Every structure is written in C-alpha cells, then in structure tokens.
Amino acid sequence: MAMDIFKITGPARLDGTINVSSSKNAALPIMAATILAGGKNTLIGLPNLSDIAVMGQLMESLGCKKQVVDGNTIFDTSVIDKPFGDYEIVRKMRAGICILGPVLARCGKVEVSMPGGCAIGYRPVDIHVRGLQEMGAKIELKNGYIVAHSNGGLKGANIFLGGAFGSSVLATANILSAAVLAKGKTIIEYAACEPEITDLANCLVKMGAKITGIGSPQLTIHGVKELKPVEYKIIPDRIEAGTFLCAAAITRGKLKLKNCRLDHLWAAVNKLRSMNVRIDEIEDGCEVECDSHIDATDLTTLPYPGFPTDLQAQFMACLSLARGNSVVTEKIFEDRFMHVPELTRMSANLRKEGPHVIISGVEKLTGAPVMASDLRASAALVVAALAAHGETIINRVYHIDRGYEKIEEKLNAVGAKIQRLSI
Ligand code: UD1
C-alpha cells in the first residue's frame, strides 16, 4: 500500500497569512452529540481530516445519514438503530469513545470497542465508565468491548470526575452528553475546562439542553425530555494555531493567523512572549513575529487553562534552537516523548529524565530522515524541519493527516518547501 512522506527543505522563513481550520477536538464530540437530537443537524466548516472522516463513518455505522452541502455537513440522526461501535472503526481513533454517552442516552444501550488513538502512553477509560455507572448505567467489559445498558433510563447524579492525572476531556464530554437527557439534576465536579468542552456545552444548549457553569470545573445539568436538531459552527483549532505560532517563531518569520482565538491560547502565548516572540491580537486572529533569537524557558503541561500537552512537542522543537537550557515537563501523558529521539536525529540536544526533557539549545538543526509516531509529535518534526538545514524526510505522514488540514499547502503558501510524495 502506498504511503505518503514529506520531503522538507530548509531553512525557510515563513511570511504571510494562514487560515486556521475548525477544531478537530471540538468537532469530534459535537458530531457524536448530534445523536442526542434526532433529525437534521448541520455542522458548519468541519475540517477535512482523516479523524473526522472516521467519526463520520462511525456515525453512519450507527444508522445516521451524512451529507455534505456547500461545505457544511448534515448529520441526519432521525434513526440510530445499530448501537454498536465496531472495533474496525473505533481502533483507528481514541475519540470513537465519544459515542458512548450519546448512544447510551438515546438508545438505552450501546456496545463500543475499547478505543485506539495515538501511542502516547497508557490511556484507560475508567473515568468514562465510572461517571456513567453513577448515573445508573450497568457496564461490563466483554471481549474488548464496553457493553452498557441504561437500566431503564439514566438518572441525574453528583459525579466527581477527577482521576489520577486530573480531569479527563473526553470523559467530561461523554458524561455531559449523557446527562442532558437524564432524569433530574446532574452535577459534574472536576469537569475538564478545555475550550472544546465549552464548545460542546454551547452546542448542547443550542439544542435545548439546560447547562450552567459552562467553562468552569463544576457543570450543573438539568435533564430535558428531548433536544432539537441544531446548526452549529465549531470553534477554531487552538492546537493547529499554536503549531503555526511555533512555525513562525522557529523560522524567525512573521505570520498573520486568521480564524484564531488567542483567548483559548493564553498559556502558549505567554510562553512564546517569554521566548522573545511578539504576538499581537488583531481582528479575528493574531500576528506573530520573531525577528532575532529564541530565549530558553521551562514549561509544564497541565489541564486547561494550563499549558496544553498537545503543544508540548512543537514547543520542544522551538526550544531546541533557543539560547540557553530549557526543561519541559509532561504531566498529562506519561510517555509523550516519542519526538525526542527523532528531534535528536536532527541535531537537537535533548536529555530525557522521567517526565522531564532537558533541552540545551543548539545553534543549528540539520535535516534527517525521521519517523512520525503520533499526531503532535509529527507536527513537531514539521516545525523542526522548517528551520533545519538541508533535507528532512518525514515518514508515516498519515499521523499528521489525522489532525492538520492541508498542512503542506498552508505552509508552502507562506514560504515553506514541503513536498508530499507517495512511496
Ligand atoms: C483529549 C484530546 C487529546 C489531548 C487530551 C488532553 C481529543 C480527541 N483528544 O484526549 O488531544 O491530548 O485530551 O488534553 O479531544 N485518563 C484516565 N482514565 C480515563 C480517561 C483518561 O486515567 O478514563 C487519563 C489519561 O490516561 C491521561 C489523562 O487522564 O493521562 C488525560 O486524558 P484525557 O483528558 O481523557 O484525554 P482524552 O480526552 O482522551
């Protein structure tokens, strides 16, 4: 089977304007939530990504009908008659677990394969299961599937969603989606506060759900009997935007990002400013410029509004070329350092010690053959390759295609030299 690779020739200096796509991680649970409102739901501007295509396939396998009209995607969820998330689809993507709450709430039963996704460490689903059990669901794990019954209908409950690592984004999405149709009042304590959860909550409210505390760690939901189909525009992708901020910084470039919400990116913006990168807010986006060197800094990934784990790898690429030493600490996923050996192949000076990576800034990165291992690690390799001297070959580009829409077209339009080749 042919596989795509990227051939990137550097160093480049980026200059120009990039339009940021809609958020993949907001879109996935919102797509699943359309199951709650039987009828024609229109999602505006879904990004054209393989994860979104897989989710569409999963929705269709449940009985939903999908149609694209004028770039908007209509999910007709009038009939959901196969409450079954097949291993063959769900193994491709962690977010397949997003159907658990909505299908259980709508159909009273669901079987979903244990999810797949990026190889970034052990990723259990205990918080999802525990939350639904507290709403009265009967759940067992059978032959690799989560088998859930609502036991005569889900009931409101007080649910503490904290886990060993803090809260869980997709577990919050699942419990919130299930609670909107449950009998009575649900309080979710220690809910994830990520903008993608806020977007889901706003979409559910537009469908007729009664939710208060949106954006805070305590969500209160008063169950309603039914929801109505919705037309909804997804928020911009903060992780794609953050990746382009890093690309501008590392190439000592200047970019204007359109459809970018800096209010979702304060932790990253604050870090970049401390690294000698100028970022100014403009209407519908921002301008970013780095005209001399990058300064070293330390960063620790944390749940929102802390520094996002999904930008850790891209920042490490930038810090590889900084003046001085930096320490990056990963607190969300225990093994999210697959990019470290690959960046080292490109002459970065990195030393991993448990959950920390110590970075001694180097003068110059050099092109090398490297392997994309997961979505954000792959984005870090693209960022590094833009600044590296010579040619970088990135294998297994399908990881990047899961989460970045036309990344080579967007970057080439502002001065990068990226070729996609099929081998
Ligand atoms: C989502 C994002 C992912 C991001 C992550 C953290 C999507 C599609 N993916 O993933 O890009 O990196 O949030 O911001 O939106 N955990 C448990 N038990 C559970 C669930 C999670 O222990 O039942 C742990 C995980 O192993 C991890 C931590 O909680 O250590 C956070 O994971 P979680 O927030 O659930 O990540 P996802 O929602 O899967």
Side-chain angles (χ1 to χ4, degrees):
M1 207 172 71
M3 207 184 275
D4 286 0
I5 63 166
F6 277 166
K7 185 165 120 182
I8 304 181
T9 311
R13 182 181 176 274
L14 302 190
D15 190 354
T17 301
I18 300 184
N19 279 312
V20 175
S21 298
S22 302
S23 164
K24 166 181 89 76
N25 285 355
L28 292 166
I30 288 177
M31 287 166 76
T34 63
I35 291 167
L36 296 163
K40 288 190 175 178
N41 294 273
T42 304
L43 298 185
I44 300 170
L46 283 187
N48 188 7
L49 298 169
S50 60
D51 269 12
I52 297 290
V54 171
M55 192 64 174
Q57 219 185 325
L58 181 57
M59 302 274 296
E60 286 177 318
S61 75
L62 301 168
C64 158
K65 301 219 162 21
K66 192 184 105 191
Q67 204 189 348
V68 179
V69 179
D70 297 334
N72 301 323
T73 313
I74 300 168
F75 292 97
D76 184 346
T77 53
S78 306
V79 178
I80 300 292
D81 56 357
K82 292 178 219 85
F84 181 71
D86 195 342
Y87 168 77
E88 282 309 324
I89 306 177
V90 178
R91 74 180 168 83
K92 296 180 187 161
M93 180 185 64
R94 168 92 181 159
I97 191 78
C98 288
I99 64 162
L100 182 66
V103 179
L104 182 63
R106 168 91 185 259
C107 305
K109 61 180 181 184
V110 63
E111 280 185 41
V112 192
S113 167
M114 293 285 284
C118 282
I120 55 177
Y122 176 56
R123 294 177 84 174
V125 290
D126 56 304
I127 305 177
H128 301 247
V129 168
R130 184 162 48 77
L132 292 171
Q133 281 172 334
E134 287 182 31
M135 296 172 79
K138 197 167 159 290
I139 303 185
E140 50 184 346
L141 297 179
K142 222 159 118 187
N143 306 328
Y145 280 76
I146 303 163
V147 182
H149 288 89
S150 71
N151 244 348
L154 297 174
K155 293 168 200 68
N158 288 0
I159 304 170
F160 181 78
L161 267 197
F165 296 85
S167 194
S168 159
V169 176
L170 292 183
T172 304
N174 258 325
I175 309 308
L176 171 63
S177 300
V180 294
L181 287 182
K183 268 185 222 114
K185 178 168 116 177
T186 299
I187 296 179
I188 306 178
E189 195 68 78
Y190 215 149
C193 300
E194 271 66 8
E196 294 77 15
I197 294 298
T198 297
D199 208 31
L200 168 66
N202 287 337
C203 177
L204 290 168
V205 166
K206 203 169 175 199
M207 288 172 171
K210 293 207 160 65
I211 307 169
T212 54
I214 295 174
S216 83
Q218 190 188 70
L219 296 171
T220 303
I221 303 116
H222 288 272
V224 295
K225 284 228 160 60
E226 61 174 13
L227 297 177
K228 55 182 188 312
V230 78
E231 183 176 301
Y232 195 75
K233 187 171 187 299
I234 313 282
I235 53 168
D237 195 313
R238 66 189 168 109
I239 305 301
E240 190 199 15
T243 304
F244 293 140
L245 294 178
C246 288
I250 203 169
T251 61
R252 313 295 192 266
K254 184 177 176 188
L255 288 179
K256 193 182 275 188
L257 300 186
K258 306 288 283 179
N259 191 39
C260 165
R261 284 189 57 173
L262 281 195
D263 59 326
H264 292 164
L265 269 165
W266 281 131
V269 167
N270 183 51
K271 270 294 151 213
L272 282 164
R273 285 182 176 154
S274 75
M275 289 159 64
N276 193 37
V277 179
R278 183 180 65 79
I279 300 176
D280 295 322
E281 195 158 11
I282 56 170
E283 202 195 326
D284 191 33
C286 70
E287 268 176 359
V288 51
E289 182 172 22
C290 180
D291 52 14
S292 60
H293 64 281
I294 296 175
D295 282 327
T297 190
D298 296 341
L299 67 86
T300 301
T301 64
L302 288 169
Y304 191 84
F307 189 90
T309 174
D310 284 352
L311 285 176
Q312 178 252 105
Q314 302 88 317
F315 269 68
M316 195 181 294
C318 282
L319 292 172
S320 298
L321 279 178
R323 268 193 202 163
N325 298 334
S326 310
V327 181
V328 166
T329 304
E330 173 57 55
K331 288 245 186 149
I332 308 291
F333 294 107
E334 84 265 31
D335 195 19
R336 197 170 202 179
F337 287 130
M338 309 274 272
H339 42 288
V340 169
E342 303 309 302
L343 290 172
T344 306
R345 295 169 68 80
M346 300 174 74
S347 308
N349 185 347
L350 311 175
R351 197 173 79 246
K352 180 174 170 309
E353 282 187 11
H356 312 288
V357 173
I358 296 138
I359 305 161
S360 305
V362 293
E363 288 279 314
K364 175 171 142 176
L365 292 174
T366 52
V370 289
M371 189 73 81
S373 55
D374 66 69
L375 173 55
R376 307 302 174 187
S378 321
L381 298 179
V382 172
V383 168
L386 293 171
H389 290 249
E391 199 173 277
T392 298
I393 302 287
I394 304 183
N395 290 286
R396 301 195 181 170
V397 160
Y398 62 85
H399 286 292
I400 302 177
D401 293 335
R402 287 187 44 210
Y404 290 86
E405 192 175 30
K406 299 185 189 142
I407 188 167
E408 74 277 28
E409 286 178 30
K410 289 188 183 188
L411 289 172
N412 284 343
V414 294
K417 288 201 189 87
I418 307 178
Q419 266 181 288
R420 180 186 286 267
L421 303 169
S422 261
I423 55 164

